[in-house]
Amino acid sequence: MTEPDALFCRLDQRNRIVGVGGAWDRFALDNDGAAVVAARVLGTDLFVHVGGEPTRALLDTVLWRVRHAGRSVVLPFRCDSPDRERHMEMTVEPEPGEGILLAYRLLRTVPLPLAAPLRFSASGVPRGRMLFRCSTCNRLLRDGVWCEAATLDDLPAIPIAVSYGVCGECRDMVERLLPN
Ligand SMILES: [Zn+2]
């Protein structure tokens, strides 16, 4: 069962958001997510709010497999704030009529060992200066290696331009957890 204090988001069979609940608005506003406050997302397609084609493709696979198997899956992910690692999990639960209940729960936070808060921006920046960021573990791709942002000491103080993808380890982890 979903805990009452968890954030949740209910989808219809076509992945339209038909309900949100929990401390959703406060969570969104605390996390630069003003665009996803409840009033604005109801009736919209979930995928409109998911950044990066690789992330959308993986989420599409997750939703399809959960519906197909009729079984829930719990997927861990990171949703860091500028100065804290935020370890979360998302429960994807099938509902009657091919609906889906997405429930998000914060497991723990850890302060990031940083001199200055990290800020990321996924829009409005020149493509050439963009870094890939894994939407699941939040690591950055640098010279072909996925690294914790906090271990890179030459990141600029301005918002870092990122495009969201999924690293190989996270892709494998999700694949292992999904029902067949
Ligand atoms: Zn990853």
Side-chain angles (χ1 to χ4, degrees), residues 134 136-139 167 170:
C134 176
T136 301
C137 67
N138 281 190
R139 290 183 301 172
C167 76
C170 288

Side-chain angles (χ1 to χ4, degrees), residues 108-126:
R108 65 182 193 282
T109 71
V110 181
L112 282 166
L114 295 168
L118 280 176
R119 296 196 183 275
F120 296 95
S121 167
S123 59
V125 285

